[in-house]
Amino acid sequence: MGGALYFWDETSHTFHTSYGMITPTLLDVAAITGLSPLGEEILTTTWSTTGAKYAIDISSTTYQSFILNNRGRDGEPVFDNEHIAFLLYWLSGVVFCARNIQVEIAYVPLAVMLAEGKRLCLAKLFLARLYLTLDWITAHMREKKRITNADGPIWFFQLWLSAIFESELQSRSTQKSLTDSAIVGQRLLNLVFPDRLMPSHDKMKHFFRTFYYLPEKDHNVNLTPFANCQTGPEWLTQSLTPAGVTQKESIIIWSQFLTPQLLFAGFPGENDLRTAVYMPNAVSRQFGLAQAIPSPYHFQESQPSHVKTISLEDMLRIQKDNAVRRNKFHLFPFKPCPLTTYSFFSWWKNYYSSIEVAFSTYCQRMTTVLVMQQVRRAKKGNYY
């Protein structure tokens, strides 16, 4: 991860390599986690409409105490309160990985709606939080600040990189490959770097060089790992044949995958009105499509299109704008052809050749900054 973060661009939420731009997409989220891009968009104003009251014990939010305080009796059915408590633990410790390493009370409204069966698009919120986390880490890198307990689904970033560099990794066990896994993430979890004794600093150098010199035709790197996904839920793996493209669900799913849009990053009930731009048109080859020079995303000409804080009025306008963009989408059968136009090739080559990389300076900065654990000062007792 350290070797890749240098190439992250927060204005487009993509990694800039000599190959072009690459980034985690909604297709990658679907393939690795099984989260569907369908469902109601999660906004800060999204709320339960049942009016039901629940009693979740939040007297202690440490994971162990929270589980003990909210678990039901053995042999009894799982009641609503226990179900909500489990989902709250799952969101905090598994999905979004709260920075304080304990149950995040702010996730309660989302856990309640999921327990009630409300069909929400968790995939978009998930990807938006990942983008913001990568923005936060790289901002700290530039300012030479220590990074401790970065929140957000960093684990997904690791699995996504494992999919790209899968041929350079090996299984951590001698067990049979998980070919019948329901999602790709189960197989990727089992992959590790073959030389386990290599120092982390040297591993970072290795992948940094790989990213910087990333050739378009390198058999050790797969930059389109899910362009023809064969593992996952049926709605993801089904063939887009002429008969299949008439299915409304297929059209909606691929319109979500391929339409540039702003993703909302705030949780229900919070005042977090940040957005993150999603630009699949900048990484067309990851979907098996040819890459042309991408048009930048514009919502308001007077404001930047990348991460920003918006108003409630803007949030509703963006939601409407996203729907208009998706409604213009038309699906048709195609064969994967991850090539580039000559204009893109020339444009990107000129841009990338102007990038100067001070490799030794970068490695020193990364070694200092990427401290992914809490370090307590001996006397003052606070974190730094």
Side-chain angles (χ1 to χ4, degrees):
M1 291 190 292
L5 284 170
Y6 181 91
F7 303 91
W8 179 251
D9 173 60
E10 64 184 39
T11 61
S12 62
H13 291 136
T14 61
F15 294 95
H16 289 187
T17 74
S18 59
Y19 168 85
M21 288 174 273
I22 58 174
T23 196
T25 68
L26 288 172
L27 172 60
D28 301 321
V29 172
I32 294 175
T33 70
L35 290 176
S36 169
L38 301 181
E40 180 183 340
E41 279 190 292
I42 300 174
L43 310 175
T44 57
T45 55
T46 306
W47 209 257
S48 171
T49 57
T50 64
K53 303 293 183 181
Y54 304 100
I56 310 300
D57 188 341
I58 56 174
S59 58
S60 176
T61 55
T62 60
Y63 288 135
Q64 185 175 8
S65 297
F66 180 80
I67 293 172
L68 292 175
N69 293 341
N70 288 279
R71 71 176 184 178
R73 295 180 180 178
D74 293 341
E76 292 186 353
V78 176
F79 294 103
D80 291 340
N81 290 335
E82 187 178 1
H83 187 197
I84 294 172
F86 166 76
L87 289 172
L88 184 56
Y89 163 78
W90 176 68
L91 291 170
S92 302
V94 180
V95 180
F96 295 107
C97 302
R99 183 177 300 165
N100 54 13
I101 319 181
Q102 56 186 335
V103 171
E104 181 56 67
I105 303 304
Y107 300 167
V108 169
L110 180 56
V112 168
M113 288 185 283
L114 291 174
E116 292 176 345
K118 195 177 183 71
R119 196 181 188 193
L120 301 173
C121 184
L122 197 59
K124 289 187 179 182
L125 177 62
F126 180 88
L127 187 58
R129 301 300 295 194
L130 174 64
Y131 285 167
L132 295 187
T133 299
L134 297 180
D135 289 347
W136 182 83
I137 293 175
T138 50
H140 276 59
M141 287 167 49
R142 285 195 301 270
E143 298 171 10
K144 300 182 180 179
K145 292 182 179 179
R146 287 187 179 273
I147 301 172
T148 58
N149 291 345
D151 66 347
I154 291 294
W155 58 268
F156 178 85
F157 179 42
Q158 177 68 67
L159 294 184
W160 180 74
L161 290 174
S162 295
I164 293 176
F165 296 102
E166 185 170 357
S167 61
E168 294 198 17
L169 306 176
Q170 67 180 20
S171 174
R172 70 172 72 243
S173 67
T174 56
Q175 296 178 353
K176 224 176 206 184
S177 177
L178 299 172
T179 54
D180 57 346
S181 300
I183 54 176
V184 177
Q186 289 181 278
R187 187 188 77 250
L188 299 177
L189 276 172
N190 204 39
L191 300 177
V192 294
F193 194 72
D195 187 354
R196 301 186 184 186
L197 299 179
M198 180 185 290
S200 297
H201 184 72
D202 292 335
K203 290 179 185 177
M204 185 187 68
K205 286 183 179 180
H206 171 78
F207 286 106
F208 175 86
R209 288 193 178 95
T210 303
F211 254 80
Y212 184 67
Y213 297 108
L214 200 62
E216 187 164 349
K217 295 181 179 179
D218 188 332
H219 298 296
N220 294 324
V221 178
N222 181 8
L223 294 171
T224 58
F226 308 120
N228 188 22
C229 194
Q230 301 297 316
T231 302
E234 184 180 356
W235 51 262
L236 178 63
T237 58
Q238 63 183 351
S239 176
L240 297 179
T241 60
V245 298
T246 60
Q247 298 178 11
K248 186 176 180 180
E249 185 178 81
S250 296
I251 296 175
I252 297 175
I253 287 173
W254 280 90
S255 70
Q256 296 283 13
F257 287 161
L258 296 175
T259 303
Q261 56 192 293
L262 287 178
L263 306 178
F264 301 104
F267 288 92
E270 286 191 329
N271 294 321
D272 186 353
L273 296 175
R274 291 175 298 168
T275 60
V277 66
Y278 173 65
M279 293 183 57
N281 57 319
V283 293
S284 299
R285 284 173 289 179
Q286 289 182 223
F287 300 93
L289 303 172
Q291 181 67 61
I293 298 177
S295 299
Y297 181 95
H298 289 292
F299 173 64
Q300 291 181 340
E301 294 296 336
S302 60
Q303 295 181 349
S305 61
H306 60 286
V307 179
K308 61 179 182 292
T309 301
I310 58 173
S311 64
L312 285 172
E313 292 78 12
D314 279 342
M315 182 177 68
L316 297 177
R317 288 162 56 195
I318 290 171
Q319 187 181 30
K320 183 178 179 180
D321 180 71
N322 287 344
V324 169
R325 291 171 182 265
R326 288 193 297 271
N327 289 337
K328 295 179 180 178
F329 179 85
H330 297 284
L331 187 63
F332 57 90
F334 68 93
K335 293 182 179 180
C337 183
L339 302 177
T340 67
T341 63
Y342 180 77
S343 57
F344 173 84
F345 177 81
S346 302
W347 172 69
W348 191 256
K349 184 179 180 181
N350 290 335
Y351 160 74
Y352 206 75
S353 61
S354 65
I355 298 178
E356 295 183 1
V357 178
F359 184 72
S360 58
T361 302
Y362 167 75
C363 287
Q364 182 179 4
R365 182 189 305 173
M366 290 297 295
T367 303
T368 303
V369 170
L370 289 180
V371 180
M372 305 305 291
Q373 59 182 356
Q374 291 182 340
V375 182
R376 188 180 293 272
R377 284 183 175 174
K379 293 184 179 180
K380 295 186 178 180
N382 60 334
Y383 296 106
Y384 70 102

